[in-house]
Amino acid sequence: GNRRSTEDFEFGEVLGEGSYSTVTHVTTVHPPYRQYALKVLDKEHIKRERKTKYVLIERDTLKALDGHPGIVKLWWTFQDEWSLYYVLEFAENGELLKWIKKYGSFDLRSARYYLAQILSAVGFMHDKGVIHRDLKPENILLDRNMRVKITDFGTAKLLKKEEMADGHPLDDPMGRPRTRSFVGTPEYVSPEILSEGRESSFSSDFWALGCVLFQMLAGRPPFQARTEYLMFQKIINLQYEFPLGFPADAKDLVEKLLVVDPKARLGGDPANGNGIEQVKNHPLFTSHIAPSSSPPVSPTRA
Ligand SMILES: NC(=O)Nc1ccc2c(c1)=C(Cc1cc(-c3cccc(C(=O)NCCN4CCCCC4)c3)c[nH]1)C(=O)N=2
């Protein structure tokens, strides 16, 4: 059968490190030689840090999202005495963040090309009741054809059926105060998480999309500060500025996504219908009919 073990793989370079996991480039030792990203999770550390819940959420979320080209595929899982192993899709061109830094910033056509693919993957996630909660250029990978592959669902939230209506997790029937389980990466965390201590909702992912669009075109995230406290102040007070020359259509979309009230955010209120469709119908996408030439494979400066 296909019971796997580390013996089946030749280990290559380390691709990424987390607090209790390491992702390594591996190649199968038997033909057909295939490349994967092997995520090794340390059992001892997981138990000590009480992260078992997150580890299982990642596996269950990736299984629920299997089949979408914009989400990293989980091929198999196996374990040994010390570790859990997730055999994940290898995205050869790595993190979107690396490409933004390499080119300084993207031109509008490239930013629109990547945002359209990210929206397709996020729309699929939300339809399946998954909130990513930590969308950022480090978690948006690019494969050998520069196609988007979203990863790192270790901190995602898998909503129950009855929670799907407005994307908000239900309050505890016993009225116990909500213990906010997780806060995303400071630069990209939405104001409602910081101020009301709310759980994230679908709308939190839209805030992060606004930050990613800004960063692709500006070459930096909208909110930066020397300390997390100062960063949080800037986020809840919406203190950010566009660089000169920031394209008008993209500026308008960022301004509709970086809205403090999650319900007023574009796509943020499920009562207005499918959030992703509202973003896809924005002039950034509808007022530029792409020329017949194929989309850009690698980002180029404006
Ligand atoms: N937290 C997580 O779950 N993290 C994950 C999960 C899955 C996963 C994952 C992370 C991946 C990360 C990754 C990182 C890289 C990478 C890291 C450093 C440099 C490069 C790079 O320079 N790539 C482009 C140039 N290469 C040079 C080598 C030959 C091929 C082309 C890629 C490629 N893929 C991956 O491919 N698949």
Side-chain angles (χ1 to χ4, degrees), residues 77-139:
T77 61
F78 59 89
Q79 59 182 300
D80 61 21
E81 194 178 341
W82 309 278
S83 308
L84 299 174
Y85 299 89
Y86 291 0
V87 183
L88 293 157
E89 183 172 3
F90 174 54
E92 181 170 330
N93 279 303
E95 299 173 4
L96 179 67
L97 178 66
K98 179 170 59 95
W99 292 89
I100 297 172
K101 287 183 173 172
K102 176 175 177 173
Y103 286 90
S105 62
F106 293 172
D107 64 8
L108 185 59
R109 281 180 70 226
S110 304
R112 205 172 40 239
Y113 169 79
Y114 293 114
L115 184 66
Q117 292 179 50
I118 297 165
L119 284 170
S120 170
V122 172
F124 181 77
M125 268 178 229
H126 288 182
D127 287 350
K128 298 275 183 181
V130 172
I131 310 170
H132 186 283
R133 302 206 291 182
D134 200 15
L135 284 171
K136 54 183 178 177
E138 295 93 317
N139 288 336

Side-chain angles (χ1 to χ4, degrees), residues 65-76:
L65 298 177
D66 188 40
H68 192 282
I71 292 165
V72 154
K73 182 175 175 61
L74 171 63
W75 286 91
W76 308 283

Side-chain angles (χ1 to χ4, degrees), residues 159 163-170 190-193 195-196 198-207 255-275 278-279:
L159 295 179
E163 294 176 306
M164 292 274 284
D166 69 348
H168 266 299
L170 291 178
S190 54
E192 66 271 15
I193 303 285
S195 47
E196 302 148 41
R198 283 203 69 95
E199 274 288 309
S200 21
S201 66
F202 290 140
S203 189
S204 319
D205 281 345
F206 284 101
W207 172 278
E255 287 168 342
K256 289 183 165 70
L257 291 169
L258 298 188
V259 170
V260 173
D261 173 5
K263 287 275 187 204
R265 217 167 280 159
L266 187 64
D269 186 351
N272 302 334
N274 182 306
Q278 292 168 51
V279 180

Side-chain angles (χ1 to χ4, degrees), residues 143-206:
D143 70 5
R144 64 182 338 172
N145 302 315
M146 298 303 270
R147 301 293 296 178
V148 160
K149 300 278 175 186
I150 294 182
T151 192
D152 202 350
F153 290 83
T155 50
K157 183 146 193 70
L158 201 46
L159 295 179
K160 302 178 189 71
K161 294 250 177 312
E162 62 278 11
E163 294 176 306
M164 292 274 284
D166 69 348
H168 266 299
L170 291 178
D171 289 330
D172 182 302
M174 307 294 284
R176 281 173 295 217
R178 179 177 299 292
T179 53
R180 190 184 55 224
S181 54
F182 164 75
V183 174
T185 304
E187 280 89 345
Y188 307 90
V189 71
S190 54
E192 66 271 15
I193 303 285
L194 296 173
S195 47
E196 302 148 41
R198 283 203 69 95
E199 274 288 309
S200 21
S201 66
F202 290 140
S203 189
S204 319
D205 281 345
F206 284 101

